Amino acid sequence: AFHRFILPLAIPSHRTALKDMPLLSLLLALSLLYPAVPVWRWPVEPPEVLRPFAPPEQRWLPGHLGVDLDAEPGQQVHAAGNGRVHFSGTVAGTPVVSVAHGELRTTYLPVESDLVRGDRVAAGDPLGTLATEPVHCRDRPCLHWGLLRGDAHLDPSLSSVR
């Protein structure tokens, strides 16, 4: 349960006020003392965010419920954290892989994979390769990376350690 609070808070952002730095330092120190706290990584290297997480104000309004990362067709996509494959297959014609990390779930699309439900993966393990089609981003190839807790979409880039 400790990791639910550490990862989103321990990564400073452009909105972090200087007054919050002692709290962030404490959280980072505590995360080093608790090995159960997962280490997260970017699913593609080098990470270049093409479109950031932009949740809508209401569920029915437009928004972006993930992060689009620059990637090329055929490029390997890696697990962001330790877990088990929750789903590997096609949804509405798009190849998708999702990985369960306890109560969190990461999603990756369009990714072609030979993994099956229940396969264990470690942070950095290859999940598959970026599919040529269908494209997610209009202007160029990209990986759409999502993070969920139940039905709630979260910003996966806040959970990543470069």
Side-chain angles (χ1 to χ4, degrees), residues 11-17 24 158:
I11 308 302
S13 73
H14 66 280
R15 290 182 233 134
T16 303
L24 293 174
L158 294 179

Side-chain angles (χ1 to χ4, degrees), residues 2-74:
F2 185 73
H3 71 276
R4 280 186 275 167
F5 305 104
I6 291 297
L7 286 178
L9 295 174
I11 308 302
S13 73
H14 66 280
R15 290 182 233 134
T16 303
L18 290 176
K19 65 179 179 55
D20 295 330
M21 293 308 287
L23 173 62
L24 293 174
S25 298
L26 173 65
L27 291 172
L28 284 170
L30 287 173
S31 70
L32 295 173
L33 297 174
Y34 290 89
V37 175
V39 174
W40 295 87
R41 58 156 287 158
W42 293 95
V44 292
E45 294 289 342
E48 180 184 341
V49 176
L50 300 176
R51 185 174 176 199
F53 181 73
E57 290 183 29
Q58 302 292 331
R59 285 182 77 89
W60 59 86
L61 294 174
H64 191 239
L65 299 177
V67 174
D68 292 342
L69 300 173
D70 185 32
E72 292 298 322

Side-chain angles (χ1 to χ4, degrees), residues 117-130:
R117 182 178 173 93
D119 284 350
R120 288 180 187 255
V121 294
D125 282 355
L127 296 175
T129 57
L130 191 74

